[in-house]
Amino acid sequence: MPVGPLIELRTERLLLRRPVAADLEPFALMCADPEVMRHIGLGRPIDRASAELGFATLLERWRQDAAGLFTAEEAATGAYLGFIGTAPVPAHSVEGGATEIGWRLRRAAWGQGYATEGARAVAADAADRLGLTRIVALIRPANDRSRAVAAKLGLEETGEGKGPRGETVVVYAGAP
Ligand SMILES: CC(C)(COP(=O)(O)OP(=O)(O)OC[C@H]1O[C@@H](n2cnc3c(N)ncnc32)[C@H](O)[C@@H]1OP(=O)(O)O)[C@@H](O)C(=O)NCCC(=O)NCCS
């Protein structure tokens, strides 16, 4: 189990909390959905072994940095919605070394403003607690929903580049 400080962010409808081992199951299910993964990386769902690896990396990052991808729950029910949080951009990608803000929700949770609501809280935490003055979002050009979230956060489109897997991404950047 992860150790370290309990870090939670609350919004009107969401609890954003440090991930725990029990989040692996719903995380893996979400990442196995082709619709969810359509505009991420190479656009393919993630198999169970890769999801386990990704989840372990996510937990490890929290252990090291006390920051990362928060598990997003519906506050009223405790239902798992997905994750919203920050991660370092790999060095070989456009914006390598910058801090990316990202979001991924179960399909059933889309279209209710949850990503924007949660991302606003994550951005405020990144500024206040982590002291960040700039964040980026790298988004596949066809991912209109995600681009709308970045724009609503006030991030500006600054150009295009190659993402971590060599895919073309639109770069959004600005103060958190
Ligand atoms: C991207 C994602 C997190 C958005 O979650 P969400 O909770 O639905 O987002 P919000 O409701 O806060 O905002 C979505 C915006 O997209 C708009 N939108 C909804 N359907 C849309 C569509 N078919 N085409 C374009 N825009 C659309 C909404 O209107 C909303 O903007 P608005 O509030 O200005 O109207 C969610 O769709 C998701 O998990 N997608 C798969 C994972 C992913 O691609 N993550 C991002 C990788 S960069």
Side-chain angles (χ1 to χ4, degrees):
M1 287 297 288
V3 292
L6 177 72
I7 295 165
E8 293 187 349
L9 308 175
R10 286 182 183 272
T11 70
E12 197 184 331
R13 296 176 297 167
L14 303 177
L15 168 63
L16 299 158
R17 58 166 177 75
R18 183 176 172 140
V20 295
D23 296 332
L24 171 61
E25 290 306 321
F27 171 84
L29 272 177
M30 174 176 75
C31 297
D33 181 341
E35 194 64 36
V36 169
M37 300 306 293
R38 181 180 303 275
H39 300 297
I40 297 175
L42 299 178
R44 290 195 282 271
I46 295 176
D47 64 24
R48 174 73 192 205
S50 304
E52 283 181 13
L53 210 62
F55 190 75
T57 304
L58 186 161
L59 291 184
E60 182 54 30
R61 175 126 194 277
W62 273 99
R63 262 192 290 273
Q64 286 182 9
D65 301 344
L69 302 174
F70 289 85
T71 291
E73 277 183 9
E74 192 176 44
T77 62
Y80 179 92
L81 300 178
F83 66 73
I84 305 172
T86 56
V89 178
H92 61 277
S93 165
V94 64
E95 293 287 352
T99 298
E100 180 170 28
I101 185 163
W103 31 77
R104 189 181 305 172
L105 303 180
R106 295 168 52 216
R107 218 179 335 165
W110 295 8
Q112 300 168 64
Y114 283 143
T116 304
E117 182 174 323
R120 286 197 170 118
V122 166
D125 180 60
D128 299 345
R129 189 171 61 88
L130 307 179
L132 294 181
T133 55
R134 184 173 181 275
I135 51 171
V136 303
L138 309 180
I139 305 178
R140 299 294 306 269
N143 196 349
D144 292 329
R145 285 188 174 84
S146 189
R147 294 179 69 164
V149 174
K152 281 187 284 179
L153 282 186
L155 300 180
E156 297 215 356
E157 200 181 320
T158 59
E160 274 192 7
K162 294 285 178 202
R165 293 172 196 83
E167 76 279 26
T168 298
V169 292
V170 181
V171 177
Y172 286 82

